[in-house]
Amino acid sequence: MHGIELIQDLAVVMLVATVAGWLCQRIGLSMIVGYLVAGMIIGPYTPPFSLVTDGARIETLSQLGLVFLMFGIGLHLSLRRLKQMGLPLVVATAVNTVLIYYLCLMAGGAMGWGRMETHFLAGMLMISSSAIIGKILVESGLTHDRVGQAAMGLTIMEDVVAVVMLTLLSSMAKFGTMADGARIGSTIGIMVAFVVLAGVASLLVVPWLLRRLAATVSVELQTLCVAALMLGLAVIAARAGYSLALGAFLLGCVVAETAQRTQVVRTFEGIHDVFSVVFFVSIGMQIDVRMLGQEIGLILGVSLFSLLLRPLTCMAGFLVAGAPMREAFRIGVVATPIGEFSLIIAQLGVTTAAVPARFYPLAVGVSLITSLAAPPLTRHSARIADVLLDRTPAWLNDALLYYQRWLEQLQQFGKKSILWQLSKKRFIQIAVEMLLVTGLLVFSGQMLGLVRHFLPVDHAFPRGAEVIFWSILALVALPFVIAIWRNFSALALLYAQVSAQGFARSAKLEPVIEAGLKVCAGLLLLLWLSAVLPGGGMARWLPLIVLVVLLLGFLVLRRRMIYWHSLMVAELQDMLERKEPGAPGTTAPWLTAPGDWNLKLTGCILPDLADCRGRSLGELALRTRFGCTVAGIERQGVLVGNPNSDMILYPRDKVLLLGDPQQVADGKAFLQLASGAPVASHFDEVRMETIEVPPGSGLRDRTLAELALGRAFGVQVAGIRRGGQRILNPRSEEKIRAGDSLLVLGSPEQIAAFHAGLVG
């Protein structure tokens, strides 16, 4: 049967991955290690255990898993959260990345490697594994600690670096040689333009579409729409010359900014887990196990290099950002393991023949060793940091303290600079809009190829489709060009006023400076447009079309375009700056007790079959049993802080426990206990029964609110028949009278107790 082989391969992959993941979980290893080993066992290089041998199907599984993996990573990357992390984290990530890059170039040169190999090695080592680090933080109880939050912030920023590296290394692999600085800059600039174009378009369309779908269709259709958008944007990125991973990652980042994020995370959680496992197993299947033995010396050497390199470079980055030395070192230790992105980069290099096949086992071996070494290093990071601090020279400590005070003064100066505060937002708008127009023009050829068949073509005017396309494109780009010029004009006026202050003839000098700045801005715009306008195909038509359309659009639609552009900017700013109602509060930078209280805040997710499900906090009595306190419960993306004792726990609730390390560990073990025992429920016994109110009942002539039958007997009154009248779902102020027939809902025991109370 056609296609059954792929289904068979999927069944084998999932079954073997389940067994390998279970074994790793039992012995305390990362399950990613098990998935990679499982892939190596069933892959085509390990007969007679080779259960999956077709290289094309393995590649298909790998690409499909990659799309879902990158979508999930983007879904947990919030632009608002990046903005909250601030400039220090960006500086720390940049310093860490640059140091790893140049140190890898030096190490590769010492080993006699070529520049292409050293660049791929740097790409593999400069990106940590968010999946492995997240697991280590949960196990060590550092999820809500300052160090843990900073380490997770670093992994998020490194995910962005990974996307840039994938694009850059793809370009290098396509050219077949190491590109020069100009080509690298051009590649990064065009990629950023594509990201801005796709990101802005998605931010304008996807949230609006999800809002409409949420109001009109079922969750099932919403899930299908998001999956279609994910695969579609991945294909668009591939058609633009980039990886499938870039498109899926971008859509995940966009969906993370919408109110539907929690719902999408919930609906995609299972399928994301499945295909992420498929990706890691597929990576393992592409590794020749014999090469692990042949390259064991190289693997051990690079692993040792990485274990020394990453903590030191991360520490240097956070020291430059102004963090204390002890904290900076601990962050670097936590961010040691490499994982999914390193494997993707190795896969890219090997499949494009940019690097030798040994890079596959090298990436897997280094990932395995760093993943095994990271947990014990994290547990003892505080002790190691204390030893280093004791041996740090006094002059170095004094220099760091002086540098931190200087950074604080610099930050205060930036906040006090009125000129910078007034002009900062306009500079950002100019940069974003120039990148957006650059993306429109650079990728115009690909867009024309997509829509050419839908445009009317007249044989008497064979280039009519191109004329229509370029006219529409010029009208779309015109509002942004106008906005760029308006921002430049406002900045010219602002800086002219500031520059002319203090001069005797400032009133005459100010317009001269303003005019000079506008002339410089106009020349900059002309140079930029001449650099990004397409140079082939329709090049001879383009000047005339652009000139005519822009002139007509400027004269006729100028005010409307300014208005539309203002609406778009306001919508984007509101989307990126607002906080959704009920958004989880666990994204706070850190939650640690001040002083030396030895308190930890640890989160644990209740399993679906947890023994404590359906029970209230008062029944569980965690403080009495273990000494820990429930600080909050996160449910469906909403955080309930300081819940009362009546709050009932449900499966998949994230419970935040506060206490000393032993108390929260005991409480967490208790909450996550899932013995499989059924939860007591009387729902199957609930029934409805009709009971008459006797004349001498002590409950007659009292309202339902006064009687509080639910609290007293556990029953509800669903209806009252009084004479020939029926009162369905009576209100709380309705009185019970003698001779009434009550339709009562409850279990047999509850109804019997109510009947006894009614008669008595």
Side-chain angles (χ1 to χ4, degrees):
M1 184 183 296
H2 181 68
I4 195 173
E5 294 85 1
L6 182 62
I7 298 175
Q8 174 182 307
D9 292 346
L10 271 174
V12 170
V13 165
M14 293 177 187
L15 180 61
V16 176
T18 301
V19 176
W22 177 77
L23 289 173
C24 286
Q25 190 176 32
R26 290 296 300 269
I27 61 179
L29 291 179
S30 170
M31 287 187 289
I32 294 178
V33 175
Y35 302 147
L36 292 170
V37 174
M40 289 187 283
I41 293 174
I42 65 173
Y45 301 106
T46 54
F49 305 104
S50 301
L51 301 178
V52 182
T53 57
D54 187 271
R57 292 201 299 271
I58 292 174
E59 180 67 19
T60 300
L61 292 175
S62 173
Q63 294 294 333
L64 190 59
L66 175 63
V67 169
F68 280 93
L69 176 67
M70 294 300 296
F71 176 70
I73 292 174
L75 201 57
H76 291 86
L77 174 66
S78 170
L79 298 179
R80 283 194 295 265
R81 189 174 180 185
L82 286 179
K83 184 179 178 181
Q84 291 172 357
M85 290 174 182
L87 184 61
L89 187 61
V90 176
V91 172
T93 307
V95 172
N96 174 50
T97 301
V98 171
L99 287 176
I100 291 178
Y101 174 76
Y102 282 105
L103 289 173
C104 284
L105 287 185
M106 294 170 60
M111 292 187 294
W113 287 8
R115 292 183 64 84
M116 186 70 75
E117 292 177 328
T118 56
H119 276 80
F120 272 88
L121 176 66
M124 289 162 48
L125 298 186
M126 70 173 54
I127 302 151
S128 57
S129 171
S130 56
I132 298 174
I133 291 173
K135 185 175 184 295
I136 292 173
L137 291 176
V138 170
E139 292 174 349
S140 59
L142 295 175
T143 306
H144 298 279
D145 191 81
R146 184 185 182 109
V147 170
Q149 289 284 323
M152 283 307 299
L154 178 67
T155 63
I156 290 172
M157 291 301 302
E158 286 183 338
D159 288 343
V160 179
V161 174
V163 174
V164 177
M165 286 300 298
L166 276 173
T167 303
L168 191 59
L169 293 174
S170 297
S171 175
M172 293 180 184
K174 181 171 66 176
F175 289 123
T177 182
M178 179 61 210
D180 55 19
R183 184 179 292 172
I184 291 175
S186 174
T187 301
I188 294 178
I190 294 175
M191 187 213 70
V192 173
F194 173 80
V195 169
V196 171
L197 174 62
V200 170
S202 300
L203 282 170
L204 292 175
V205 174
V206 173
W208 171 84
L209 181 61
L210 291 180
R211 285 196 300 268
R212 296 295 298 271
L213 291 175
T216 56
V217 302
S218 64
V219 175
E220 177 184 357
L221 295 179
Q222 296 175 49
T223 304
L224 288 175
C225 179
V226 173
L229 291 172
M230 174 190 67
L231 297 174
L233 192 53
V235 172
I236 289 174
R239 293 286 180 86
Y242 302 109
S243 169
L244 291 167
L246 178 60
F249 178 80
L250 279 177
L251 187 72
C253 294
V254 171
V255 175
E257 301 304 319
T258 66
Q260 290 75 26
R261 174 188 176 274
T262 302
Q263 175 184 308
V264 173
V265 170
R266 184 175 65 250
T267 54
F268 272 84
E269 185 176 11
I271 192 170
H272 168 262
D273 291 342
V274 169
F275 281 101
S276 297
V277 170
V278 169
F279 168 76
F280 289 115
V281 177
S282 301
I283 290 293
M285 288 190 291
Q286 298 177 58
I287 298 171
D288 189 345
V289 182
R290 293 167 296 183
M291 293 189 67
L292 283 174
Q294 296 171 2
E295 304 294 339
I296 187 64
L298 177 63
I299 292 172
L300 292 175
V302 175
S303 299
L304 180 61
F305 179 67
S306 178
L307 289 171
L308 294 174
L309 177 71
R310 283 198 58 83
L312 293 177
T313 56
C314 289
M315 180 177 71
F318 278 95
L319 286 177
V320 172
M325 180 181 287
R326 186 176 189 272
E327 180 181 307
F329 177 78
R330 294 187 65 197
I331 295 169
V333 170
V334 174
T336 296
I338 65 171
E340 53 271 16
F341 273 114
S342 303
L343 301 176
I344 295 170
I345 289 174
Q347 181 192 40
L348 169 68
V350 174
T351 53
T352 57
V355 295
R358 62 183 178 182
F359 267 67
Y360 252 149
L362 175 62
V364 172
V366 175
S367 177
L368 293 177
I369 293 174
T370 54
S371 300
L372 293 173
L377 287 174
T378 300
R379 285 194 296 269
H380 298 94
S381 61
R383 190 177 307 169
I384 300 172
D386 290 337
V387 172
L388 289 178
L389 282 177
D390 292 339
R391 302 190 178 187
T392 303
W395 63 267
L396 181 57
N397 285 325
D398 294 339
L400 289 174
L401 288 174
Y402 176 80
Y403 175 71
Q404 290 167 7
R405 286 196 295 267
W406 177 76
L407 281 181
E408 293 175 359
Q409 293 173 0
L410 190 63
Q411 291 174 356
Q412 293 299 324
F413 176 77
K415 292 178 181 179
K416 294 178 181 178
S417 175
I418 299 176
L419 180 62
W420 171 244
Q421 295 298 326
L422 290 174
S423 58
K424 177 175 64 174
K425 187 171 290 187
R426 291 192 180 274
F427 279 122
I428 295 174
Q429 289 180 359
I430 289 172
V432 171
E433 286 162 348
M434 290 181 72
L435 288 170
L436 183 62
V437 176
T438 300
L440 283 172
L441 296 177
V442 170
F443 296 99
S444 57
Q446 289 88 335
M447 289 188 285
L448 178 59
L450 291 174
V451 302
R452 182 188 294 272
H453 300 294
F454 301 98
L455 297 175
V457 178
D458 188 351
H459 294 288
F461 189 33
R463 309 302 292 269
E466 286 86 346
V467 172
I468 294 173
F469 172 78
W470 287 114
S471 299
I472 295 174
L473 189 67
L475 285 174
V476 171
L478 181 58
F480 301 104
V481 176
I482 295 175
I484 292 170
W485 177 250
R486 284 165 57 86
N487 278 319
F488 270 131
S489 300
L491 288 173
L493 176 61
L494 176 63
Y495 279 85
Q497 290 175 346
V498 173
S499 302
Q501 284 181 355
F503 289 91
R505 299 182 178 181
S506 58
K508 295 183 178 180
L509 183 61
E510 182 180 319
V512 175
I513 298 176
E514 181 183 356
L517 291 174
K518 285 185 176 180
V519 169
C520 294
L523 291 175
L524 177 63
L525 285 178
L526 288 176
L527 290 174
W528 161 61
L529 287 174
S530 63
V532 298
L533 284 175
M538 277 290 293
R540 64 179 182 274
W541 292 89
L542 198 55
L544 180 61
I545 293 173
V546 171
L547 181 61
V548 173
V549 173
L550 289 184
L551 183 60
L552 291 176
F554 184 80
L555 294 175
V556 178
L557 301 173
R558 178 175 178 271
R559 293 186 179 276
R560 285 188 174 274
M561 286 182 173
I562 294 173
Y563 174 71
W564 292 335
H565 176 268
S566 301
L567 286 180
M568 186 197 74
V569 172
E571 176 70 18
L572 289 175
Q573 288 180 345
D574 181 59
M575 187 182 304
L576 295 177
E577 292 177 2
R578 70 171 177 255
K579 183 176 176 62
E580 297 295 338
T586 53
T587 55
W590 49 81
L591 293 170
T592 51
D596 188 17
W597 288 92
N598 192 31
L599 285 177
K600 281 184 175 292
L601 187 72
T602 299
C604 66
I605 299 177
L606 268 61
D608 290 327
L609 299 178
D611 292 351
C612 62
R613 70 191 190 278
R615 299 173 65 185
S616 68
L617 294 177
E619 293 178 72
L620 297 176
L622 295 176
R623 175 175 289 188
T624 303
R625 291 186 180 186
F626 310 108
C628 57
T629 302
V630 176
I633 297 176
E634 186 179 326
R635 179 178 298 163
Q636 301 294 335
V638 177
L639 179 67
V640 180
N642 294 322
N644 57 38
S645 60
D646 296 330
M647 190 163 187
I648 296 175
L649 296 181
Y650 293 100
R652 310 311 297 171
D653 281 354
K654 183 177 180 181
V655 182
L656 301 177
L657 298 174
L658 181 66
D660 66 33
Q662 187 60 47
Q663 290 171 345
V664 296
D666 294 341
K668 180 178 178 181
F670 174 75
L671 291 177
Q672 293 187 321
L673 181 64
S675 63
V679 176
S681 172
H682 299 288
F683 181 78
D684 293 338
E685 303 175 9
V686 172
R687 66 184 185 184
M688 288 191 288
E689 194 172 312
T690 302
I691 300 176
E692 286 196 11
V693 181
S697 173
L699 304 183
R700 71 185 191 281
D701 298 329
R702 296 171 64 185
T703 66
L704 293 175
E706 293 173 344
L707 295 172
L709 300 179
R711 187 165 58 247
F713 304 103
V715 298
Q716 295 186 55
V717 176
I720 300 175
R721 180 183 289 134
R722 182 175 297 149
Q725 183 184 9
R726 288 182 298 179
I727 305 173
L728 301 179
N729 294 320
R731 295 180 296 180
S732 59
E733 60 266 22
E734 190 69 44
K735 290 184 177 181
I736 292 180
R737 299 177 183 176
D740 285 352
S741 294
L742 306 180
L743 182 62
V744 181
L745 176 69
S747 67
E749 294 82 3
Q750 293 168 338
I751 293 176
F754 171 64
H755 187 268
L758 193 65
V759 173

